[in-house]
Amino acid sequence: PRPYGCALGQSFGGFCLMTYLSQIENPPRVCLFTGGIAPMLTPMESVYDKLWDRVKERNLRYYEMFPNDIDIIKKIVRKLIKNPVQ
């Protein structure tokens, strides 16, 4: 039996999620990791350029898996642009 369909690990939670995944028999189908350890020897511009490419690729992959989410995500983005979080 699967415990959940998706798991999210943010910063230290990512380390916790990796431990969890290494110990359970039936892992979630999707695991999302955000944050992480900052690179120390690479110029930040290079890091962000690569990050942008990866985020774009992952978003396109997500939209292929969940095409019905595209309209919902567009609504969320429009609302955030219109009403920025303070």
Side-chain angles (χ1 to χ4, degrees):
R2 286 196 187 280
Y4 303 100
C6 182
L8 171 67
Q10 162 61 34
S11 192
F12 177 72
F15 291 108
C16 296
L17 183 56
M18 289 298 290
T19 301
Y20 173 68
L21 292 173
S22 71
Q23 296 178 2
I24 62 170
E25 191 174 311
N26 297 301
R29 226 182 71 186
V30 175
C31 295
L32 306 171
F33 294 89
T34 60
I37 299 171
M40 297 188 315
L41 302 175
T42 306
M44 289 310 298
E45 294 82 9
S46 174
V47 172
Y48 282 111
D49 286 343
K50 289 179 183 177
L51 174 64
W52 179 255
D53 292 338
R54 178 168 239 163
V55 168
K56 182 178 177 182
E57 182 267 324
R58 294 294 170 99
N59 277 310
L60 292 173
R61 190 185 312 177
Y62 177 89
Y63 295 147
E64 286 177 10
M65 290 173 56
F66 306 101
N68 293 335
D69 286 358
I70 294 172
D71 288 337
I72 295 167
I73 292 169
K74 285 181 178 182
K75 287 178 187 177
I76 292 169
V77 169
R78 281 193 295 269
K79 186 166 187 162
L80 288 171
I81 289 171
K82 188 176 178 181
N83 305 301
V85 177
Q86 300 293 325

